Amino acid sequence: MTPLVILLLCLGQAGAQFPEISAESDSDLEEALLSLILKLRQDEFFDNLLIYGRDCIFHQLTKSLGVSTVLVTLGSTNFDWAFSSLTLILCCDDEAEDGENQRTFMKTQRNRRLIYIEENMEPEKVCNGYFEDEAYNVAIVKEDFGRSNIIYTCRLFQKPNFEQVSLREAKPIYIENFRNMQGSHIRAMRELMPPRTMAYEDKKTGKKKLIGYVANLFTNFAQRLNATLELYIIQENSNGREILLNVRAGILDMGMMLETYVHPKSLDTASYPYIHAPYCVMLQVPAKLPYNLVYGKILDPPVLGILFVLFCILSVLLIYSRKKSWQDLSLANVLLNDVSLRGLLGQSFPFPSNASKHLRLIFIILCFASVMLTTMYAAYLQSYFTNPPSEPTIRSFQDFTKFNKKLAISRFELDELRMTNNSRFKDINEKDLVVIEDSNEFIRIRDSLNQSYSYLVTGDHWSTCEEQQKMFKEPVFYLSNDLCLSHLIPIAIPVRRFLPYRHLFDEHIMSQNEFGLVGYWRAHSFLDMVRLGIRPLVSEDLRQTKTNDKSLILKDVSWVLELYLAAMVFSICCFILEVLSARERFSR
Ligand SMILES: *[C@@H]1O[C@H](CO)[C@@H](O)[C@H](O)[C@H]1NC(C)=O
Ligand SMILES: *[C@@H]1O[C@H](CO)[C@@H](O)[C@H](O)[C@H]1NC(C)=O
Ligand SMILES: *[C@@H]1O[C@H](CO)[C@@H](O)[C@H](O)[C@H]1NC(C)=O
C-alpha cells in the first residue's frame, strides 16, 4: 500500500470522489472558511492547495475553488516532492503533517499553513508545536469558526504567541515573523581568515570587533533583522571543518566563513552564492634563465643542422664553379672550406680577380647568408642578455612531476576534494602533493608567499596576493588559467538545513551584492589588513636577491671562453702535428 495517496484534482472531479459528510450545521463553517480562503487567495496569492489529513471540512471546499489540489491523506513517502512556494497548506488537525519526509518538509517549511482544530484545543499549544517543528507561517481556525469568525495566527516573537484576527478585519493573517527578531540570537561561529573575517579591538570603546567582507555581511544582517549575533568560540582559531560539521549537524545557525562548492552534493546547507570566483592553482612565476645558459639557449640543434647543410651546399657549389669540374671535390675540401666558413661567419675572404659569373652569384648568396646569420645571432644574443628567457612554465598537472614542483594543500581541503570526486583533481599525481595537516599553518605558508610550493586558491584569496605583489619589483606568483578545478565556482555561507530565515539571508546577500557593497569591501580588504597590521604594506621583495638583477659579468660567459680555449689548444695541436708530419715528408 502506498502510504501517500496523491490525487491532483481539478475542480468538479473532486466532488465526485468524496462522500458528503457535512452536516446541516457545517454550512456556516463552510461558508466562512470559503470566504477566508478566497481572502487569502486575494491577499497572499497561492496557486495550489495541499491538504493533509483524512476527510474533513477542507475536502468539501475544493469543489467550490478553482484551484488544483493535492490530497495527502496518509503520512508520507520517501519521494522527494517539490511543492512550489505558492502552495497553501491546509491541515485537518495539528498532527496531520507528522511523519513527513524531511526533504519535502524543508521545501514547504516557509509555506503558509491553515490548521483546523477542535474547539477545546488551545491555540498557544498548537503554535508551540509548530514552532518546535520550525514552521512559523501558521494560522489556526477552530470548529466554531462559522460563528466566531476568529482566526488565531501564530506570532513567534511575542507573548502570547498568537494573535486573534477577525475575518472582517483588515489585519494581515500571515506576517514575516523574522523581519524583526526582537533581539533573538543568531548562533554562529567565526573562522578568522583575513581578509574575509578579521578581529580587532576598537580603540575608543575597547570592544572586540569583526571586520572583513564576510564579517560585515553578518553584522549587517543581524542589524537588519534586529537580532543579536551570538558568536560561539570553541577555540581561538576555529577552522572551517569544525564550523561546517557544526552547521551540518544543526548546532549552529550559520558559519561565518565561506565554503566552495566544487561539486555540490546537496545545497541544503548552503546559502545563495555570496561570490563566484575561479578555483585555480597559484603558480610561481618561472625563474629567468641564468646568463651563463643563454649562449646554450640560442644554439638550437635544428637551426645548427640547417646552417651546416647550407655550409656544405655552398662549399660544393664553390668547389664546382671555380673550375667547372668535380675534380677538387673531396670530403676535406667540403668540410674545411675556408671561403665558405669565413663567408658564413661574416669574415673577409679572398675574392678571385677573374671570377666567372656563376662564382660571383654564389659569392653574393654567401654574403647575403652571412649578413642574415650574423645579425640574427647578434640580435638574439643581445635581447636575451637584456631580458633572459624564462624557464618552462607549468601547463598541466603532469608538469608538476616533470619539473619536480610541489603543490601544497591542507588536509581539510584535500579530504573535501577527494570526497567530491573532483575529476580534474584526480589528474594530480599524489607524489606532487605536500599535505599540510594544520589548516592555519597552511594559510600562514601560503600567505607568506613561500616559494617552495604552488597553492590551490580561490579567486578572492588570489586578489589579496595580487594586491600584495603590486609592491614587488616583479610578481612572484600568478594565477594559472590552465590549472583550474573550476573557472567559476559558487562560494557560499554554510547555513543550517532548517534555518527559518534562510530566504531573508539569501535576499540580504543579493541586496548587498546588488548595491555594490561586497565589491567595495573586497576592493578595500587589503588596505584593511594593512590597517590592522595583519599584512605589511611593503613586504620584502622576494625576488630581489636573484642573480638576474645584477649586470652581466665575465663569469656568466666563462664556459664560452673555456670552449674557445679548448678549441685553440686543439687547433695548435693539429698545427704541430701537421708541421711534424710535413718535416718528415720533406726529409724523406
Ligand atoms: C529590537 O529589539 C529590541 C529588543 O532587543 C526591542 O526593544 C526593539 O524595539 C526592537 N526594535 C525595533 C525597531 O523593533
Ligand atoms: C566518489 O567515488 C567513490 C568511489 O568511487 C564513491 O563511493 C562515492 O560515492 C563518490 N562520491 C561522490 C560524491 O560521487
Ligand atoms: C617555505 O616553507 C618551507 C617548508 O615549510 C620552509 O622550510 C621554508 O623555510 C619556507 N621558506 C620561507 C622563505 O619562508
Side-chain angles (χ1 to χ4, degrees), residues 188-192 197 199 210 231-233 236 238 243 256:
M189 196 190 281
R190 61 165 171 63
E191 178 189 38
L192 279 188
T197 306
L210 292 176
L231 283 178
Y232 287 84
I233 299 171
E236 191 44 39
S238 24
I243 300 177
M256 194 185 278

Side-chain angles (χ1 to χ4, degrees), residues 10 17 57 68 78 84 117 135 152 154 195 247 252 254 258 291 293 310 330 351 428 443 490 546 554 565:
C10 290
Q17 310 271 334
I57 184 90
S68 55
N78 290 330
S84 94
I117 57 171
Y152 304 88
C154 298
V247 170
L252 293 174
M254 301 195 249
L258 292 179
Y291 283 121
L293 294 186
L310 185 69
S330 69
F351 196 100
I428 304 179
I443 291 165
K546 289 266 158 127
L554 193 62
L565 195 68

